[in-house]
Amino acid sequence: TQKDFKRLLAYSSIEHMGLLALGAAAGGPFAIAALLLHMLGHGLIKSSMFVLAGRILGFAGSHHIADVRNLLRRRPDLGGPFLLGAAGLLGFPPFVTFFTEVAIIVAGFQRGLGWQMLVACALLLVVFAGIVLALARFRWSGIALSFAGFLILALGAWSSLGAVLLHPLEDRFSR
């Protein structure tokens, strides 16, 4: 398990690059559009997260997750955006990474890469669980943990809805 929040951010990019590779492998206009939008969204979120990580390092004096305590209570101007950025990197709705991840998976299924997409979904869940566990070690505050619990429950409901919402978009790109 990762104990350095800056490294955690860096390692999470590997998961996103794997998704980009899946989108490129699926090919087609829908997958390529999702891939390009995912690159843009991931780049914007990740760069913002690294700026926040630097500010948290300056505030806490350490880059170890265990040393950052009660960030939402002590510095809500850092804790709030960091939690939102983490939700964006994890692919929670309504962030762009949610819709592009679903679009890449849908495009893969439509291009005949069903079992590869199932493996990718399973791996995404493993990465998601690992990052959520690492973020839970931040010892945010009770508010943040209940908010994180709500987001995790909401993710399940939104995930199935994502495929339904993106289906009409796929029709536009397949023509």
Side-chain angles (χ1 to χ4, degrees):
T1 57
Q2 188 52 247
K3 296 178 179 168
D4 182 325
F5 60 85
K6 290 177 80 175
R7 282 190 184 164
L8 182 69
L9 286 175
Y11 289 149
S12 74
S13 291
I14 296 169
E15 174 250 336
H16 288 277
M17 296 311 112
L19 281 170
L20 296 177
L22 277 175
F30 185 55
I32 299 302
L35 179 150
L36 292 172
L37 189 57
H38 191 82
M39 280 191 331
L40 177 65
H42 173 259
L44 291 173
I45 295 170
K46 184 62 66 113
S47 60
S48 300
M49 289 293 285
F50 272 113
V51 169
L52 284 167
R55 293 188 63 208
I56 291 170
L57 174 63
F59 169 71
S62 173
H63 51 84
H64 294 290
I65 292 173
D67 296 337
V68 180
R69 298 171 190 261
N70 296 321
L71 190 61
L72 277 176
R73 194 172 309 141
R74 293 169 55 202
R75 287 293 304 267
D77 60 319
L78 296 177
F82 196 82
L83 266 181
L84 286 175
L89 287 176
L90 287 170
F92 279 22
F95 297 101
V96 67
T97 51
F98 169 74
F99 294 103
T100 56
E101 286 177 7
V102 171
I104 288 170
I105 303 257
V106 167
F109 272 108
Q110 291 171 343
R111 303 284 285 186
L113 300 173
W115 70 268
Q116 292 92 337
M117 295 302 135
L118 289 175
V119 169
C121 286
L123 291 174
L124 279 172
L125 288 175
V126 169
V127 169
F128 175 80
I131 293 174
V132 166
L133 288 174
L135 288 173
R137 281 190 233 116
F138 261 95
R139 298 181 186 132
W140 300 90
S141 70
I143 296 168
L145 293 179
S146 61
F147 177 69
F150 168 75
L151 285 177
I152 290 169
L153 291 176
L155 179 67
W158 276 93
S159 296
S160 57
L161 184 60
V164 174
L165 292 174
L166 288 172
H167 183 70
L169 290 177
E170 187 277 331
D171 291 338
R172 290 184 180 202
F173 285 99
S174 63
R175 292 182 197 157

